Amino acid sequence: MKKFNIRKVLDGLKEVSSSTPSVQVGPQENHLIQETLQSDHFQLCKTVRHGFPYQPSSMAFDPVQKILAIGTQSGALRLFGRPGVECYCQHESGAAVIQLQFLINEGALVSALADDSVHLWNLRQKRPAILHSLKFNKERITFCHLPFQSKWLYIGTERGNIHTVNVESFMLSGYVIMWNKAIELSSKAHPGPVVHISDNPMDEGKLIIGFESGIVVMWDLKSKKADYRYTYDEAIHSVAWHHEGKQFICSHSDGTLTIWNIRVQGKPIQTITPHGKQPKDGKKPEPCKPILKVEYKTTRIGEPFIILSGGLSYDTVGRRPCLTVMHGKSTAVLEMDYPIVDFLTLCETPYSNDFQEPYAVVVLLEKDLVVIDLAQNGYPIFENPYPLTIHESPVTCCEYFADCPGDLIPALYSVGSRQKRQGYSKKEWPISGGNWGQGTQSYPEIIITGHADGTVKFWDASAIMLQVLYKLKTAKVFDRNRSKEDKGSTEASDEDPFAIQIMAWCPESRILCVAGVSANVIIYRFSKLEVTTEVVQLVEVRMQYELNDIESPDGGGGEQTPALPTPGASPQTSGPPSHPSTSSNNSDGGNMPCLKVRSTPLKQSAGYQVDLVVQLVWVSGEPPQQITSLALNSSYGLVVFGNSNGLAVVDYIQKTVVLNLGTVELYGSNDPYQRQPRSPRKTRQPSGGLCDINEGSATSEDRCKSPTSAKMSRKLSLPTELKPDLVLLSVCPPRGANPLDHRDNSFSRSRSSSVTSIDKEAREAISSFYFSDTFARKGDSSLTPCLYVGTTLGTVLALALTLPPAGEQRQLQPVIISPTGMLVRLKGSIMRMALLDSTGLMLPPAFEPWFEPNVTADGEEREKVRKRRPVSVSPSTSQDLNESQYAVVCSEKQAKVISLPSQTCIYKHSITEASFILRADVVQMSQGVCLACFCANGHIMTLSVPGLRPLMDVNYLPLTDMRIARTFCFTNLGQAMYLCSPTEVQRITYSQDTCENLQEMLGELFTPVETPEAPNRGFFKGLFGGGAQSLDREELFGEISSGKASRSLAQHIPGPGGIEGMKGAASGIVGDLARARIALDERGQKLGELDERTAAMMASADSFSKHAHEMMLKCKDKKWYQF
């Protein structure tokens, strides 16, 4: 990928003025930090894709290599070997893959696409590539067949013709089976497209061709004529052979199977309707749904297997899709969760003329891959070792952590392994081909996904693999049977009331905090012991926007100052008033949460156990605004969350609300915006005080708000189906404000970043938080615990935290928080904040090491565990007090670096003017720290810190899907990820080191395996000429006997030949030869076309001369008056 483009240069010229430091700094401070990161430390490339192939369309299996290939409707190709060996490739055209055929044990694969192209893939390299392509111009491809150990591929078309292609050269043979030669001459109707081609297992010279209309033809390849024709009056979907080559079976559109003897043309020897009710009077059974596919597999001992999909009777309404396994007299109907796309029977032998000995069936469903064990009673399924369950419930948010503590993955695995289902097959997973890569990348990586049903999944993502570790169900905390009256007036949370919106996780203390779509926050602690919680601890918070609307400037009305809810108190269940707009401002009737916390005891198994639930409640008949930002700090014991009303800080050790402030109140008297005056208050505590700040400030403005606008604001935040404007704002529009402008769908803003009037501006929401030990005020000489708050209008405000001493006092004394004013303002919403020490090293927030919360020993030991001092990751927090820190702040438009405690801006850089940033992270690379940004125009950029020098800018992908915006995240050591489809995770790297080592880390699909021996013909078969008959296809289809194919029928396109081929072609004489060969091919093609044109002209001249000669003879003896 090119890192240089002219637009970037022009942007750079434009931004020279803004990129220069806004504050001139003395040279001594400027030279303190030597930045180690350079541009050549960065390179962007895709690493691996995990998850279930989105919208699968076809499947193939190599029985010798034991590799499975799946094609999709978007032209993607996913290859699976043993667990941990996966590969993703993409056809450039993006057309659906209609069929796949392995060249068995050759390390190659043929794909046929809906755009009538056929491609040959080389799988003998770690990143498979196309060797040859053939594009049909005049006919549409419907079916392909490649016999085992043959180099001639049969291609059936919609017109009913069959062409042959040499898979080595990818050239068409002149041998064509025309539909009108195949069917009876007396038949006037077209037989329809070719739906099946296969050769007789015992005679390669006999080809069976199935036409859609119901005609099956046995074609003799040598004599070029049809030997037998079998006609049935129902359309055919598939055909399968018995291995002895004397019988075949067809599946039909009326739900019947017909079994034919190859020498009996008139009628089938047996007709079966597997799911049809048999009438007593001997009539035909009722028609059923079409049987889309049938396979006929034999065993040495016992009856053959007939396996089919579809064919259910029409009266089974609502029944799930089924796979039917008929074995002797028993019929097993296996229900599937999703519609069946395709299935394959895995057999012991690749030879079609031997007993098949089937041992498993691979069933490709629309959203799952199931493998059934045929050898065990009851047909149990194999436990799937691939990470294909990412989409079990739609993913609503993700977080990615590289370089985690080493004991985390084993701890999560040990609790997760107890969650596994029972009843799987005892055998090894049958898809076992390929080899793992030899990568040296050894640091632990964890991906956390939040889902629409309230589940949170932890995945081990180390060494470019993915494996589920542990699954947490957050919905267990709530009562599921909500009454109609209890439901909020919001469609959004009715569809997925438990959906996860934001997650905050401290890997060292293992504390997890999740914010849900129903305005709730749950704090979890990790325990290795099972526990039963009698009462789920609950804290309720009333947050309300305090500005008067223009319609009610008087702002009359008193306020309620309810007492703080006691920890563990059950929620108030009084329902909201019948109509929000009629509720009076001093009524407390609307004080209820969107979800009801369960009142019965909760049994919590080992793993994540709920510690505290915080709920935002309705205020004056208005539903709470959704949470837009969340952070936790295990050292301070605090969780903070914000929305478009303000923020609340919760002490999860004491289970109390420490602070509940409106955004406006954070500014104090320094508010840069002219806003409407606030309502007068009856009681007011200083904003730096303790718990009573969470009064529900209901003002008379509530009477003026329409219930529909409240509905609108919640509806926009639906996590599963994101509206185009939502994530970019990452806040809901205010109830009083106009809904987002839908006229311009190109990620327009409903607010300007430099608005000074509140009239048209959307409400200022809290967009990000950062806990740290830093200088709280300008000119401070000592470090204190602080909370930085970033807003959607680009302001960063600081709050100083006064924490009680550790131990007993921490349980008893209050945490005091005092706002210390504004730190800096940027253009656009604040995305990310971080701190560096005076040497430019990252200063991670302090944390508490993990301890077992359910210690069963006596109180003294528990106290000792609890008292363990908070630890900071970096020793640099104990720096000399006169040394400074650097705060790195990134908004959706620009980045600034502030020197602390002087609070002067020493660097600033305008990242984007025309677009805006969707995700920004300050990340630790092996060589230093950088700021990584993903922009809505598709660019991925990295900037050095603290100097904000652009290091990389790659136009990676245009933002076509809101899912990418919602799930994109960067992490340390140059790793990033996003959901590229509803079912797949794409991982990328922006580290040069990882790009260089990637080839080693990738697994190998092809491994040298000996092909099994062909079945023994036996003495008598050899003596009397029985057994399989071979055919010299080369002689039959070669140019000498069959001539050249028409050049206009299909166009041959040489492929890039993969990395190895490209390396050769890039340099030296090999490249020259390759180019010369391509040029010759093109020249030959042009000469061929010229040849054809000349021939056509000669033919037309010849016919003209014939006509002229005939005319002359006719007119020769006539007199002039006879004309």
Side-chain angles (χ1 to χ4, degrees):
M1 288 182 195
K2 284 190 177 177
K3 295 184 185 176
F4 173 85
N5 64 22
I6 191 74
R7 199 174 67 190
K8 186 182 155 192
V9 174
L10 293 172
D11 284 352
L13 290 171
K14 232 173 18 185
E15 293 165 12
V16 161
S17 56
S18 63
S19 300
T20 49
S22 56
V23 178
Q24 287 304 314
V25 188
Q28 72 284 0
E29 193 169 353
N30 237 348
H31 292 298
L32 280 177
I33 296 177
Q34 183 73 42
E35 288 183 358
T36 49
L37 278 174
Q38 302 300 327
S39 290
D40 51 12
H41 291 136
F42 294 92
Q43 185 186 339
L44 193 73
C45 71
K46 291 182 181 180
T47 52
V48 280
R49 184 173 288 203
H50 304 291
F52 182 77
Y54 183 54
Q55 295 179 327
S57 55
S58 56
M59 178 171 62
F61 183 70
D62 185 326
V64 180
Q65 286 287 322
K66 301 223 179 320
I67 294 282
L68 182 77
I70 296 175
T72 74
Q73 289 178 27
S74 58
L77 203 55
R78 291 284 297 282
L79 296 137
F80 296 91
R82 66 176 61 194
V85 176
E86 284 182 48
C87 183
Y88 157 76
C89 322
Q90 177 71 46
H91 292 91
E92 268 183 40
S93 66
V97 181
I98 55 172
Q99 207 177 343
L100 293 169
Q101 292 261 298
F102 273 101
L103 276 68
I104 293 171
N105 206 23
E106 296 286 338
L109 175 74
V110 171
S111 59
L113 269 57
D115 66 354
D116 310 307
S117 60
V118 188
H119 307 271
L120 177 68
W121 289 85
N122 175 17
L123 308 183
R124 289 181 179 239
Q125 55 196 55
K126 291 192 171 183
R127 294 223 168 192
I130 291 173
L131 290 170
H132 297 284
S133 300
L134 198 62
K135 177 86 169 71
F136 279 73
N137 299 322
K138 295 182 176 177
E139 297 209 48
R140 307 223 62 186
I141 298 170
T142 54
F143 194 87
C144 297
H145 170 62
L146 180 68
F148 177 44
Q149 294 180 325
S150 161
K151 66 174 186 181
W152 293 95
L153 171 73
Y154 301 109
I155 295 178
T157 68
E158 200 172 46
R159 288 189 187 173
N161 304 326
I162 293 173
H163 302 277
T164 45
V165 174
N166 184 321
V167 288
E168 286 176 358
S169 64
F170 243 56
M171 291 306 217
L172 270 172
S173 161
Y175 193 106
V176 183
I177 304 171
M178 305 300 283
W179 68 270
N180 52 354
K181 300 267 179 68
I183 63 165
E184 288 181 72
L185 296 174
S186 58
S187 171
K188 289 175 184 172
H190 189 277
V194 174
V195 292
H196 180 84
I197 310 165
S198 60
D199 45 343
N200 185 323
M202 286 296 178
D203 188 352
E204 293 174 353
K206 300 283 195 284
L207 203 63
I208 209 161
I209 305 161
F211 294 100
E212 194 180 61
S213 63
I215 298 168
V216 178
V217 173
M218 176 81 81
W219 182 264
D220 188 315
L221 288 165
K222 284 182 185 170
S223 62
K224 300 184 184 178
K225 64 180 179 60
D227 282 356
Y228 300 100
R229 297 179 179 92
Y230 316 88
T231 310
Y232 193 71
D233 54 6
E234 289 292 339
I236 287 177
H237 283 278
S238 73
V239 183
W241 278 103
H242 185 283
H243 85 274
E244 289 174 349
K246 293 174 184 170
Q247 286 182 359
F248 62 88
I249 186 167
C250 300
S251 73
H252 298 277
S253 56
D254 63 345
T256 57
L257 297 172
T258 53
I259 299 176
W260 300 78
N261 187 314
I262 59 167
R263 300 191 185 280
V264 181
Q265 298 190 66
K267 63 173 189 171
I269 55 168
Q270 195 181 354
T271 305
I272 310 163
T273 312
H275 296 281
K277 289 175 185 158
Q278 298 289 342
K280 289 176 183 172
D281 51 7
K283 289 181 183 172
K284 270 182 90 172
E286 295 172 11
C288 294
K289 292 174 186 172
I291 296 174
L292 300 175
K293 186 173 180 180
V294 65
E295 292 206 340
Y296 196 6
K297 302 296 178 187
T298 53
T299 55
R300 281 178 207 284
I301 304 156
E303 301 279 340
F305 283 88
I306 296 175
I307 301 162
L308 56 116
S309 64
L312 294 178
S313 65
Y314 280 102
D315 59 4
T316 53
V317 179
R319 189 165 177 185
R320 294 194 294 182
C322 294
L323 186 84
T324 307
V325 181
M326 299 165 72
H327 185 225
K329 290 181 180 174
S330 77
T331 300
V333 181
L334 309 174
E335 287 197 338
M336 302 290 157
D337 290 338
Y338 305 101
I340 296 170
V341 175
D342 196 1
F343 73 88
L344 292 170
T345 311
L346 308 190
C347 302
E348 296 288 356
T349 177
Y351 294 95
S352 59
N353 59 356
D354 195 8
F355 285 99
Q356 300 296 287
E357 303 294 348
Y359 59 89
V361 184
V362 181
V363 190
L364 178 63
L365 309 175
E366 272 184 12
K367 292 185 179 178
D368 202 1
L369 182 74
V370 176
V371 183
I372 297 157
D373 185 351
L374 288 180
Q376 281 188 42
N377 288 337
Y379 305 130
I381 64 168
F382 288 86
E383 185 177 7
N384 196 322
Y386 305 136
L388 302 183
T389 57
I390 291 167
H391 62 287
E392 212 169 14
S393 167
V395 176
T396 52
C397 57
C398 299
E399 291 298 334
Y400 189 4
F401 300 85
D403 212 9
C404 305
D407 56 350
L408 250 184
I409 288 174
L412 287 164
Y413 183 79
S414 69
V415 293
S417 57
R418 301 175 206 174
Q419 298 177 326
K420 289 195 174 164
R421 279 176 47 198
Q422 302 301 311
Y424 288 114
S425 168
K426 304 280 188 293
K427 291 187 179 168
E428 289 285 308
W429 180 250
I431 303 159
S432 56
N435 277 324
W436 293 309
Q438 304 297 313
T440 53
Q441 192 172 305
S442 56
Y443 49 84
E445 296 173 74
I446 290 177
I447 289 172
I448 309 179
T449 52
H451 299 262
D453 64 354
T455 54
V456 175
K457 288 183 186 173
F458 290 79
W459 304 83
D460 176 5
S462 312
I464 69 168
M465 293 192 188
L466 195 70
Q467 182 186 9
V468 71
L469 289 170
Y470 173 73
K471 180 175 168 182
L472 168 67
K473 294 179 180 174
T474 65
K476 282 183 177 176
V477 171
F478 302 103
D479 279 340
R480 282 186 179 259
N481 49 346
R482 298 183 298 158
S483 65
K484 287 256 170 86
E485 302 82 63
D486 284 357
K487 283 191 180 182
S489 64
T490 65
E491 287 89 348
S493 61
D494 282 352
E495 287 179 30
D496 290 304
F498 307 110
I500 307 294
Q501 194 143 330
I502 317 172
M503 299 177 292
W505 188 50
C506 174
E508 289 80 14
S509 65
R510 303 183 192 172
I511 289 174
L512 173 71
C513 189
V514 296
V517 76
S518 300
N520 54 277
V521 173
I522 313 172
I523 297 144
Y524 287 91
R525 288 183 183 271
F526 184 86
S527 172
K528 293 180 178 177
L529 306 171
E530 196 174 284
V531 70
T532 300
T533 306
E534 293 300 321
V535 179
V536 175
Q537 299 274 308
L538 172 71
V539 168
E540 288 183 350
V541 179
R542 297 161 62 90
M543 289 176 91
Q544 190 172 14
Y545 193 54
E546 298 203 0
L547 296 178
N548 278 334
D549 280 357
I550 294 146
E551 295 90 342
S552 56
D554 53 14
E559 292 176 341
Q560 298 292 341
T561 313
L564 184 76
T566 54
S570 64
Q572 298 176 37
T573 49
S574 54
S578 57
H579 200 279
S581 56
T582 59
S583 66
S584 66
N585 61 317
N586 58 359
S587 149
D588 202 28
N591 184 13
M592 58 153 287
C594 298
L595 291 174
K596 190 177 175 187
V597 174
R598 65 185 289 157
S599 47
T600 52
L602 174 65
K603 187 182 175 186
Q604 305 199 75
S605 49
Y608 273 101
Q609 298 170 352
V610 64
D611 190 49
L612 177 67
V613 179
V614 182
Q615 282 190 307
L616 291 184
V617 294
W618 286 57
V619 180
S620 307
E622 291 274 334
Q625 289 290 310
Q626 286 189 344
I627 292 160
T628 57
S629 49
L630 175 72
L632 74 92
N633 186 287
S634 59
S635 174
Y636 308 157
L638 299 177
V639 162
V640 60
F641 58 90
N643 63 13
S644 55
N645 290 338
L647 65 88
V649 181
V650 174
D651 179 343
Y652 62 79
I653 293 171
Q654 295 185 22
K655 313 279 190 282
T656 56
V657 179
V658 180
L659 183 75
N660 179 0
L661 270 188
T663 319
V664 184
E665 295 170 301
L666 284 168
Y667 288 94
S669 57
N670 308 327
D671 191 352
Y673 307 105
Q674 289 110 47
R675 313 189 198 230
Q676 291 289 320
R678 282 182 300 226
S679 320
R681 286 171 173 265
K682 272 188 178 173
T683 57
R684 181 75 199 135
Q685 287 229 338
S687 54
L690 180 69
C691 311
D692 286 337
I693 297 174
N694 80 325
E695 58 257 325
S697 32
T699 56
S700 59
E701 61 168 29
D702 290 305
R703 287 188 296 235
C704 314
K705 287 179 182 165
S706 85
T708 49
S709 63
K711 218 174 190 179
M712 174 72 187
S713 67
R714 286 291 294 277
K715 202 170 182 178
L716 268 169
S717 296
L718 187 67
T720 42
E721 283 292 318
L722 264 144
K723 308 296 179 282
D725 327 71
L726 182 131
V727 167
L728 317 185
L729 263 171
S730 77
V731 302
C732 311
R735 299 191 193 100
N738 297 326
L740 295 170
D741 188 359
H742 288 281
R743 286 167 301 178
D744 176 14
N745 204 13
S746 59
F747 308 114
S748 61
R749 297 312 215 157
S750 62
R751 55 177 164 73
S752 153
S753 45
S754 56
V755 181
T756 51
S757 161
I758 203 90
D759 286 1
K760 297 283 178 196
E761 174 258 310
R763 188 182 304 172
E764 183 174 16
I766 308 294
S767 58
S768 59
F769 294 112
Y770 188 74
F771 281 108
S772 63
D773 285 356
T774 184
F775 303 98
R777 293 169 183 83
K778 193 170 183 174
D780 267 9
S781 58
S782 61
L783 298 174
T784 52
C786 273
L787 169 62
Y788 283 157
V789 180
T791 75
T792 51
L793 293 188
T795 311
V796 178
L797 300 139
L799 300 171
L801 314 174
T802 310
L803 300 166
E808 244 175 78
Q809 296 299 308
R810 180 65 188 86
Q811 308 275 351
L812 305 169
Q813 288 186 27
V815 175
I816 296 168
I817 302 180
S818 26
T820 61
M822 193 163 73
L823 176 72
V824 67
R825 285 196 59 215
L826 282 77
K827 275 167 66 179
S829 175
I830 302 294
M831 307 290 294
R832 190 68 60 202
M833 297 172 279
L835 275 187
L836 309 176
D837 67 11
S838 58
T839 62
L841 293 173
M842 184 111 86
L843 269 178
F847 63 83
E848 176 184 66
W850 177 75
F851 62 86
E852 174 56 67
N854 303 319
V855 177
T856 49
D858 54 23
E860 189 186 327
E861 181 163 337
R862 180 173 181 137
E863 198 56 51
K864 200 163 66 188
V865 175
R866 279 255 184 206
K867 271 185 188 171
R868 210 180 288 173
R869 286 297 305 154
V871 181
S872 174
V873 187
S874 169
S876 49
T877 40
S878 61
Q879 59 191 314
D880 298 337
L881 296 180
N882 59 354
E883 285 191 16
S884 59
Q885 290 181 342
Y886 300 100
V888 181
V889 184
C890 182
S891 78
E892 58 192 2
K893 292 283 187 185
Q894 59 179 177
K896 285 187 180 180
V897 174
I898 315 299
S899 176
L900 301 173
S902 64
Q903 295 192 2
T904 51
C905 175
I906 56 166
Y907 297 105
K908 84 171 181 183
H909 178 74
S910 177
I911 300 170
T912 177
E913 289 292 339
S915 187
F916 52 93
I917 293 163
L918 294 163
R919 176 80 186 210
D921 288 285
V922 179
V923 291
Q924 181 74 52
M925 302 288 284
S926 50
Q927 300 89 355
V929 184
C930 73
L931 170 65
C933 307
F934 173 52
C935 204
N937 61 12
H939 284 250
I940 291 178
M941 293 165 274
T942 58
L943 304 170
S944 72
V945 289
L948 300 180
R949 286 179 300 115
L951 297 170
M952 180 185 80
D953 184 352
V954 179
N955 190 358
Y956 174 65
L957 83 164
L959 186 66
T960 51
D961 195 333
M962 286 310 307
R963 184 184 305 102
I964 299 170
R966 192 177 69 237
T967 57
F968 198 103
C969 35
F970 295 100
T971 185
N972 295 334
L973 301 167
Q975 306 295 336
M977 64 154 281
Y978 59 93
L979 251 77
C980 54
S981 75
T983 62
E984 294 165 291
V985 164
Q986 177 67 58
R987 287 166 69 182
I988 60 175
T989 181
Y990 48 98
S991 154
Q992 175 69 36
D993 293 351
T994 310
C995 287
E996 284 174 359
N997 296 328
L998 186 59
Q999 196 67 12
E1000 281 178 33
M1001 291 161 68
L1002 292 171
E1004 288 184 71
L1005 288 166
F1006 180 78
T1007 47
V1009 181
E1010 277 196 29
T1011 303
E1013 280 186 29
N1016 195 347
R1017 289 176 72 189
F1019 173 72
F1020 288 105
K1021 282 187 177 175
L1023 190 65
F1024 299 113
Q1029 302 291 314
S1030 63
L1031 169 78
D1032 188 349
R1033 294 189 179 95
E1034 188 62 48
E1035 186 189 325
L1036 196 60
F1037 302 139
E1039 207 172 293
I1040 301 160
S1041 58
S1042 64
K1044 281 187 178 179
S1046 164
R1047 284 185 179 272
S1048 58
L1049 178 66
Q1051 178 189 0
H1052 176 251
I1053 306 154
I1059 293 165
E1060 284 84 355
M1062 278 158 68
K1063 276 181 188 164
S1067 62
I1069 192 144
V1070 184
D1072 295 337
L1073 283 169
R1075 280 190 285 275
R1077 195 167 140 224
I1078 291 165
L1080 279 169
D1081 279 355
E1082 287 172 0
R1083 186 162 169 259
Q1085 204 167 318
K1086 283 175 186 161
L1087 283 170
E1089 284 168 16
L1090 196 65
D1091 203 23
E1092 278 185 8
R1093 260 188 245 148
T1094 312
M1097 282 168 73
M1098 280 173 71
S1100 107
D1102 198 35
S1103 106
F1104 180 72
S1105 85
K1106 268 186 194 164
H1107 281 298
H1109 187 66
E1110 280 166 16
M1111 268 310 261
M1112 188 200 76
L1113 291 172
K1114 215 187 251 181
C1115 305
K1116 193 171 69 170
D1117 298 327
K1118 289 188 179 178
K1119 304 290 182 200
W1120 64 269
Y1121 51 80
Q1122 288 177 308
F1123 283 108

